[in-house]
Amino acid sequence: MYRLLIILLVVLSSCKSENKTEQTIPTKPLTLAEKIANAHGYEQWHKVSEIQFTFNVDNNDKHYERSWTWQPKTNAVTMITSKDTISYYTNKVDSTSIRADQGFINDKYWALFPFQLVWDTTANLSEPTKAEAPISKLQLNKTTLTYTKEGGYTPGDAYDIFYDDNYSIKEWIFREGNKTKADIINTFENYQDLNGIKIASEHKKADGNWNLYFTNIAIKTID
């Protein structure tokens, strides 16, 4: 009986110790990339089974568009333009689909840029500072995303990202090859919330003669 009592005490002590250990495990703090991504709905991305959108660019009197259907869980992509319809898998890109894939990478990047901060693990995100946004002239938070010089379709590029205190992106500066001079400066505006995924549907330059925007946005989710 005495031996049984000792065993029970040891077991109970062990259980209490394990429970105490579980309760005291600290929560890993979110990175800046995760905070920005989550502010745009990244925590809901695992539910997305399909996303559709049309990528549009108006430049003075010229208009260009192409439409996409992407099923991220199967890597299936379909591109529709006025000339072609091409379907392929992003993990099986070949000579017949590489041009479509380049277009998809570009258009998806514009549509889901906040998520790329998490997806692009080889890119570096700088410590944030306060700075004047180039178009609105508002004082916002600024961080710079820099890519390595190897790999990808546009290696070595840099993006200066301006976001508010709620981690919502408002503007960016794109600098090809991380050069000092800006190549593109535009807004992130007219956000749409689709099943918890927030997409900036318009990106405008200061001069008003250029607008990159998304139409026909639809997101399907699973429970």
Side-chain angles (χ1 to χ4, degrees):
M1 183 68 180
Y2 178 75
R3 180 177 297 176
L4 178 60
L5 180 60
I6 292 296
I7 294 173
L8 288 174
L9 288 174
V10 170
V11 171
L12 289 173
S13 176
S14 175
C15 290
K16 289 181 179 179
S17 177
E18 289 178 1
N19 290 336
K20 185 177 180 180
T21 302
E22 291 177 359
Q23 293 172 0
T24 56
I25 294 176
T27 302
K28 184 179 179 180
L30 295 176
T31 64
L32 177 58
E34 290 169 334
K35 290 177 181 179
I36 295 175
N38 288 350
H40 296 81
Y42 183 68
E43 292 172 302
Q44 303 301 316
W45 180 254
H46 69 282
K47 299 179 181 179
V48 175
S49 59
E50 182 178 282
I51 178 170
Q52 299 176 358
F53 60 87
T54 299
F55 173 89
N56 304 266
V57 177
D58 289 340
N59 187 8
N60 293 317
D61 59 347
K62 296 180 180 180
H63 174 78
Y64 175 80
E65 69 178 61
R66 54 191 170 198
S67 298
W68 300 95
T69 298
W70 176 31
Q71 297 174 339
K73 296 186 182 303
T74 63
N75 299 308
V77 172
T78 296
M79 178 190 75
I80 301 175
T81 68
S82 59
K83 298 179 180 179
D84 295 300
T85 296
I86 298 175
S87 296
Y88 70 101
Y89 291 91
T90 58
N91 58 339
K92 296 180 181 179
V93 177
D94 56 25
S95 59
T96 64
S97 59
I98 189 168
R99 291 293 297 274
D101 190 58
Q102 289 172 340
F104 174 66
I105 294 298
N106 177 81
D107 299 359
K108 173 178 70 72
Y109 197 89
W110 281 94
L112 299 172
F113 176 71
F115 299 171
Q116 296 291 156
L117 302 181
V118 175
W119 290 337
D120 295 343
T121 56
T122 59
N124 178 64
L125 200 61
S126 70
E127 288 296 320
T129 60
K130 286 288 185 179
E132 182 180 88
I135 296 178
S136 66
K137 306 304 180 185
L138 294 174
Q139 284 291 315
L140 295 174
N141 304 294
K142 175 187 174 184
T143 182
T144 298
L145 181 71
T146 308
Y147 286 88
T148 61
K149 295 182 179 180
E150 294 81 27
Y153 291 132
T154 55
D157 292 343
Y159 297 81
D160 300 317
I161 305 161
F162 298 84
Y163 61 96
D164 64 19
D165 290 340
N166 294 317
Y167 297 96
S168 178
I169 298 176
K170 300 302 180 183
E171 300 178 26
W172 78 2
I173 298 173
F174 165 63
R175 296 180 287 112
E176 185 177 3
N178 199 14
K179 62 187 178 185
T180 303
K181 184 180 178 181
D183 289 278
I184 300 176
I185 303 174
N186 59 259
T187 63
F188 280 61
E189 56 185 282
N190 290 337
Y191 275 92
Q192 294 186 28
D193 189 327
L194 299 102
N195 292 325
I197 307 296
K198 299 176 182 178
I199 295 178
S201 63
E202 288 195 88
H203 303 274
K204 297 179 180 180
K205 292 183 179 180
D207 60 18
N209 295 321
W210 184 93
N211 186 17
L212 187 154
Y213 57 101
F214 295 94
T215 55
N216 307 316
I217 309 172
I219 294 179
K220 296 180 181 179
T221 59
I222 56 177
D223 295 330

